[in-house]
Amino acid sequence: GDAVGASANRRSRLHEIKLPTLIIHGTEDAILPFDHGQALANGIPNADLMTLEGVGHELPEELNDEVISRLVEHFNKA
């Protein structure tokens, strides 16, 4: 969290990212609130947002299979 706050805001440069991008973000993340993930998805051209409803900053083990499947799908598209 401290590193994020100490860094310059780069939101205006998100459009420069040209690689396929998958953002995985929990709706209950107390460290980086969900609107941060939404801003990334909106700012990066053609980005996909995987929303994890009710999930905080830590990925629950029971979601591993779902997240891994989505990552494999994402990498296979690239």
Side-chain angles (χ1 to χ4, degrees):
D2 291 340
V4 172
S7 299
N9 188 318
R10 296 181 186 91
R11 183 178 290 179
S12 65
R13 297 192 61 199
L14 291 175
H15 70 279
E16 297 174 23
I17 299 172
K18 303 301 181 200
L19 295 172
T21 304
L22 173 64
I23 294 111
I24 302 170
H25 211 291
T27 59
E28 303 303 316
D29 190 330
I31 297 172
L32 290 171
F34 184 64
D35 64 342
H36 288 220
Q38 291 174 308
L40 287 174
N42 291 333
I44 299 171
N46 301 311
D48 289 325
L49 174 61
M50 180 180 188
T51 301
L52 302 178
E53 293 291 337
V55 174
H57 197 71
E58 301 290 328
L59 181 64
E61 200 171 304
E62 59 268 18
L63 292 180
N64 282 351
D65 288 345
E66 182 180 346
V67 171
I68 290 168
S69 291
R70 186 68 185 268
L71 286 168
V72 169
E73 176 187 316
H74 175 75
F75 292 133
N76 285 335
K77 277 195 327 189

